Amino acid sequence: MTARASETVGVPHAVAVLSTTRGSGATLLTAAAGLLIDEGVGRLGQSVILMDADLDAGGLTQLTRSWNAVSDAPVDGLLGFAEDTIGLEERSVSRRLRHVRTGDGLRQDMSLFPLGPGEKPGERLPADGTLEAVVGTSVERLMELGGCLLVDCGVGRTAVTQEVCHRVEHLVLVGQREPEGGREAAGLMAWLTDRGLSGKVLGWVCNSPRGGPAGAVADPARAGAPLVRLPYDAAAAQAVRSGRTPGQGSPLVQNLSALLRARWPDVLNTGGREAG
């Protein structure tokens, strides 16, 4: 075996995370993945953007309210982008981002694109039929920034969710314990298949957000075996809600890191020399 230098440091990916059902923990996993990528390769130039596209619940917007994040815009996120007075194709997302900061300097270039400020920002989004185009364009603009874009779509199976899925590269479904989680994932897969999006689906993640073991029985006739089974990890969940990366001893971190490396081996690439 010879050693070879890696050609890239942190390759960007655009991924939409879809919940099979409310309460599956998809928002927490989206945020946790962003924190892991930032900790792993942020110092080397990889940027991470977390976007909230869950217009019904705004889970990511709510979860990150306690994070140390700042914005130059009084009305930021999707709401600010939607309220811009210039033409849609000329709008910029850069000044609508919230930049995450910590006192220990670990955050290199991690940004949030929430629904916007206010307790219920989703209620102020356009209701004149333009929202689908606004969300789709914002996804494109965020992808153009070149970072790893992780979009939390929530559980809604709407035209807006469909638009997001058409724009990104990959889709990941997050469901609860099997076998019920497998049936829910199969239902969501059928919805995506009807819209020509099944080819983007990497698979589903079996999460256990409320405790109890992740089941080991999958239904291959429906959704197949999950990509990974994530254990209940209360300490990790609390860390993520506080904007901190859980420790490396966390079962959630270990399993989620393994999934990232298996599906996107370049996204956590440090540019070091690897066995080849």
Side-chain angles (χ1 to χ4, degrees):
M1 302 287 286
T2 59
R4 59 179 174 80
S6 185
E7 296 179 355
T8 58
V9 176
V11 174
H13 291 277
V15 183
V17 181
L18 289 77
S19 304
T20 62
T21 186
R22 189 68 69 193
S24 63
T27 295
L28 184 75
L29 295 182
T30 302
L35 289 167
L36 286 174
I37 295 170
D38 178 75
E39 182 182 66
V41 290
R43 68 191 185 283
L44 302 175
Q46 176 65 286
S47 60
V48 180
I49 305 171
L50 302 181
M51 175 182 178
D52 193 347
D54 182 357
L55 307 187
D56 292 328
L60 191 62
T61 300
Q62 300 294 339
L63 183 146
T64 58
R65 285 195 191 282
S66 61
W67 289 21
N68 186 7
V70 296
S71 172
D72 295 330
V75 182
D76 60 9
L78 182 60
L79 179 59
F81 186 79
E83 290 183 347
D84 205 324
T85 56
I86 65 175
L88 184 58
E89 294 304 317
E90 285 73 47
R91 296 179 197 178
S92 169
V93 295
S94 297
R95 64 192 184 98
R96 304 293 182 181
L97 293 172
R98 293 182 191 174
H99 298 279
V100 182
R101 299 283 184 264
T102 64
D104 55 16
L106 291 177
R107 302 288 170 264
Q108 302 298 322
D109 192 6
M110 186 173 183
S111 304
L112 306 174
F113 193 73
L115 294 188
E119 289 304 311
K120 296 182 178 180
E123 292 183 345
R124 298 164 56 192
L125 289 169
D128 57 359
T130 64
L131 186 55
E132 182 178 328
V134 167
V135 173
T137 302
S138 66
V139 171
E140 288 287 345
R141 294 288 178 272
L142 291 170
M143 290 174 64
E144 290 168 1
L145 295 179
C148 282
L149 174 63
L150 305 176
V151 186
D152 178 16
C153 289
V155 75
R157 302 181 189 183
T158 66
V160 169
T161 300
Q162 181 177 332
E163 185 68 19
V164 172
C165 293
H166 275 297
R167 304 274 183 154
V168 300
E169 298 170 289
H170 308 294
L171 308 177
V172 173
L173 318 184
V174 178
Q176 300 188 68
R177 296 192 298 274
E178 304 152 287
E180 183 63 28
R183 289 192 289 268
E184 293 164 347
L188 180 52
M189 177 67 83
W191 184 83
L192 292 167
T193 299
D194 289 345
R195 287 151 183 80
L197 292 163
S198 60
K200 293 188 175 187
V201 178
L202 294 177
W204 74 286
V205 172
C206 179
N207 193 26
S208 185
R210 297 189 184 91
V217 179
D219 186 348
R222 293 178 176 268
L227 295 173
V228 66
R229 297 180 177 91
L230 297 176
Y232 177 63
D233 191 337
Q238 184 56 44
V240 171
R241 292 189 185 98
S242 301
R244 296 180 290 106
T245 307
Q248 291 302 311
S250 159
L252 176 64
V253 166
Q254 293 172 354
N255 284 270
L256 190 54
S257 294
L259 174 63
L260 289 172
R261 293 186 185 281
R263 292 293 159 174
W264 301 292
D266 44 8
V267 78
L268 291 175
N269 184 10
T270 63
R273 298 184 69 84
E274 302 170 342

